[in-house]
Amino acid sequence: DTKTRNRFFSVNVPMNNNGRSFNFLLTYSAIGVEDQLEAERTSDYAQKAANSEAISLVTSTKFSSPLQTTLTLSRYKVQIPLPSSVNVSENESRLTTVGGNASYGLWGGKAKLSGGISLLNATGISQFTFIGLSGGGEVKLFGSFVLRTSVSTKIKSTDEGTEVGTLAVKLSANYLF
């Protein structure tokens, strides 16, 4: 009683130039659901499947120095199934994400510092904003023994106010035999 259409497109473009490597990844995905029996259904019937659409662009760069960067942009839209008596524009939720990360190697690859920031903005049915911050480092002490530490937080903002949603501190010691 439903007809689903899936569309997917992805293109990856790697490039090298003067000791730098770049990678660009563009992805598009859409799922469309059509109720074949919509005319026969009562007005309080809610379709179980949702229409959605997503597009993302991810770029990464590795420089001739020990610097590496990543930038992510994405947009996701979903129509939440509601009874047919509800206007279509009232059941959409849209998520937009922007994020950037960087890492820098030190002491000939024996250590690395990293950091990042991200923004997630939701509009439509749900309205909120998350800001994520992260940082960390790792040190290869000897052989395969590595110490890592990282700190991350997510700050949530809504109409009611702004608050720190999560705060995480991770410490780890790894040894590969």
Side-chain angles (χ1 to χ4, degrees):
D1 53 335
T2 60
K3 183 178 184 181
T4 304
R5 290 192 178 103
N6 293 316
R7 294 182 305 266
F8 179 81
F9 173 78
S10 183
V11 63
N12 185 19
V13 180
M15 296 185 331
N16 289 304
N17 184 13
N18 295 331
R20 296 172 293 189
S21 62
F22 305 93
N23 195 47
F24 302 92
L25 175 63
L26 177 66
T27 304
Y28 173 80
S29 174
I31 299 173
V33 180
E34 181 182 340
D35 185 358
Q36 301 290 300
L37 303 174
E38 183 177 13
E40 301 170 25
R41 303 207 194 270
T42 62
S43 63
D44 63 344
Y45 176 79
Q47 177 63 277
K48 307 269 185 288
N51 294 320
S52 65
E53 182 178 45
I55 187 165
S56 69
L57 173 66
V58 178
T59 64
S60 61
T61 306
K62 185 174 183 179
F63 296 91
S64 55
S65 69
L67 177 64
Q68 297 179 9
T69 62
T70 303
L71 176 65
T72 305
L73 306 168
S74 67
R75 176 94 176 175
Y76 178 72
K77 179 175 69 172
V78 63
Q79 289 179 338
I80 310 300
L82 295 173
S84 59
S85 59
V86 177
N87 187 342
V88 171
S89 66
E90 296 172 4
N91 72 335
E92 268 189 12
S93 195
R94 293 169 299 284
L95 302 171
T96 303
T97 305
V98 178
N101 295 295
S103 65
Y104 192 85
L106 302 168
W107 304 312
K110 298 271 187 204
K112 181 169 49 173
L113 294 175
S114 59
I117 186 168
S118 64
L119 173 74
L120 169 64
N121 185 48
T123 58
I125 292 175
S126 299
Q127 296 188 10
F128 60 87
T129 300
F130 279 122
I131 299 171
L133 302 170
S134 64
E138 71 177 49
V139 177
K140 295 177 185 174
L141 294 179
F142 56 87
S144 296
F145 185 65
V146 180
L147 291 176
R148 290 186 179 92
T149 184
S150 66
V151 175
S152 64
T153 187
K154 291 221 185 309
I155 301 165
K156 182 179 181 180
S157 180
T158 63
D159 291 339
E160 289 81 43
T162 300
E163 64 185 13
V164 174
T166 60
L167 176 62
V169 177
K170 299 176 193 174
L171 302 171
S172 68
N174 301 5
Y175 185 81
L176 298 175
F177 294 93

